[in-house]
Amino acid sequence: QVHLVESGGGLAQAGGSLRLKCQASGGTFSTYAMGWFRQAPEKERELVGTINPSGGGQYYPASLRGRFTISRDNIADAVYLQMNSLKPEDTAVYYCAARHGYSDIYAANQDYWGQGTQVTVSS
């Protein structure tokens, strides 16, 4: 059982930056691919990006590529989401997820989820 706790959310102005952290515990972190997803009110949960277990490969949807960066620290059992040039449409609850083995872009295929952290971007 892997336990995930997100932190770092809050209020940011458009054009600003935030860095989210997801702290993992209870499993062998380096064997899990990690993903960040987000869900805005009345919208489906969508992929923000993934990172493979070693940290050597990331994937981002084209709409977010260049603004968001995922990294991980397999010693500290943590994964990070650096968000730059924030826009009001980035407002959502951000979730981290873990999947044993290789990365997967689909929310339904993740094994574990955190409770989420709210990000609000004001214009």
Side-chain angles (χ1 to χ4, degrees):
Q1 185 78 12
V2 175
H3 186 55
L4 303 172
V5 179
E6 301 95 336
S7 61
L11 180 64
Q13 291 190 335
S17 298
L18 280 175
R19 188 185 192 218
L20 306 185
K21 177 183 179 182
C22 174
Q23 183 68 54
S25 61
T28 304
F29 184 70
S30 60
T31 65
Y32 286 85
M34 300 299 295
W36 285 97
F37 294 78
R38 67 184 184 184
Q39 188 165 18
E42 301 182 357
K43 291 189 176 181
E44 292 187 357
R45 193 167 296 190
E46 64 173 356
L47 175 72
V48 174
T50 64
I51 187 166
N52 67 13
S54 70
Q58 301 93 44
Y59 171 82
Y60 309 93
S63 60
L64 299 178
R65 211 165 288 159
R67 294 197 299 124
F68 288 13
T69 303
I70 298 174
S71 61
R72 65 188 293 161
D73 183 340
N74 283 352
I75 302 299
D77 290 357
V79 63
Y80 304 92
L81 175 65
Q82 178 68 43
M83 304 185 291
N84 298 326
S85 303
L86 284 164
K87 304 176 181 180
E89 51 264 42
D90 294 321
T91 295
V93 177
Y94 283 71
Y95 299 90
C96 72
R99 186 184 189 282
H100 193 263
Y102 56 86
S103 297
D104 194 293
I105 64 172
Y106 297 104
N109 293 338
Q110 308 304 310
D111 296 324
Y112 301 101
W113 291 90
Q115 83 289 348
T117 186
Q118 176 71 46
V119 170
T120 302
V121 183
S122 63
S123 58

